Amino acid sequence: SSDLTGCTGTTTVTCSGRNTEWINPNLKDPYVLTWNLALQYQLFPNTLVELSYDGTAGIGNIETPNMNVLPFSYDAGNTTALAALAGNGQIYRPYPNFGTIAYRENVSHSSYHSGTFHVQKRLNHGLYWDTFFTYSKSIDGSGVNTTAVNSDLFKGPSAFDRRFRYVGNFTYDLPFGKGQRWLNQGGIANGVFGGWNLVWQYDAYTGNPITWSFTNS
């Protein structure tokens, strides 16, 4: 109904609080596609170099954008109209007797792409190390809050998107004790100095995206 009774003046809040949800009766299950490619090369004995690419896409993701909003281009540049809208935006909604109308539909899409440089030294003479450097980008439309007609066009960095990541680790069997290069003997010396290994792990990455906003944005 377009009846604005109770939706003007000081009672605008009454209508803005009438939230509801509209579900598409033909709603479908989303699905995911994945693909990858990797190239490996033995650079030195016991040393592997690998370049890999991984991709993922989420098709038909379910979101609930708000159907009851004006288009972004509404009266652009018309300061008088925009002032009136700011004064009582409820009566300018497409359905002024309602507040938020969440439209549950397959209206979103997500994608992830990454390239990884991987170097690994297999265990030899007690030393093993492994290192990865990844550059990636993940975008999706989660939290879309615009008209359902255009919601598939509004995407941005995923909340978990981290462009750069480095992971490294190594283990080294210290050459002390029985069967090793130094203190190659049993007894107390082996009990005290033998069987030790050094382990190191490191993980560094850029931060998650930040959303900036300001009052009345």
Side-chain angles (χ1 to χ4, degrees):
S1 170
S2 61
D3 180 16
L4 301 184
T5 303
C7 292
T8 60
T10 58
T11 58
T12 299
V13 165
T14 302
C15 288
S16 65
R18 295 175 181 174
N19 300 327
T20 187
E21 185 175 85
W22 176 18
I23 301 176
N24 187 335
N26 298 316
L27 200 66
K28 301 178 179 62
D29 289 331
Y31 61 94
V32 175
L33 298 176
T34 61
W35 56 94
N36 61 79
L37 173 67
L39 299 174
Q40 296 182 342
Y41 182 76
Q42 182 171 307
L43 185 61
F44 304 111
N46 301 311
T47 301
L48 172 72
V49 174
E50 180 181 48
L51 295 175
S52 61
Y53 162 76
D54 293 276
T56 302
I59 312 299
N61 298 333
I62 297 175
E63 296 290 348
T64 53
N66 183 8
M67 288 286 294
N68 202 20
V69 294
L70 291 172
F72 287 116
S73 59
Y74 176 80
D75 274 336
N78 187 335
T79 56
T80 301
L82 292 176
L85 173 64
N88 187 4
Q90 180 63 35
I91 62 174
Y92 292 93
R93 290 177 181 264
Y95 305 95
N97 280 343
F98 291 91
T100 298
I101 302 178
Y103 179 53
R104 185 174 294 273
E105 167 66 304
N106 303 97
V107 293
S108 184
H109 178 274
S110 63
S111 61
Y112 171 82
H113 302 277
S114 72
T116 299
F117 178 65
H118 173 210
V119 183
Q120 179 189 75
K121 182 184 182 304
R122 301 183 182 91
L123 183 63
N124 185 41
H125 298 297
L127 176 64
Y128 166 85
W129 56 267
D130 205 6
T131 184
F132 298 82
F133 176 78
T134 298
Y135 173 72
S136 64
K137 182 178 182 180
S138 178
I139 60 176
D140 59 41
S142 61
V144 167
N145 189 24
T146 182
T147 57
V149 174
N150 295 322
S151 61
D152 60 334
L153 303 178
F154 286 82
K155 295 193 292 185
S158 304
F160 54 85
D161 178 52
R162 291 181 172 180
R163 297 295 172 85
F164 300 95
R165 183 171 186 179
Y166 170 76
V167 179
N169 64 84
F170 81 79
T171 62
Y172 179 55
D173 298 330
L174 298 180
F176 302 103
K178 190 173 182 179
Q180 299 295 329
R181 183 175 180 180
W182 290 296
L183 299 178
N184 185 8
Q185 57 185 319
I188 296 177
N190 182 64
V192 175
F193 299 103
W196 292 91
N197 57 53
L198 181 64
V199 178
W200 176 84
Q201 293 180 318
Y202 189 74
D203 192 350
Y205 42 81
T206 52
N208 289 334
I210 298 175
T211 299
W212 296 93
S213 63
F214 55 91
T215 304
N216 297 325
S217 59

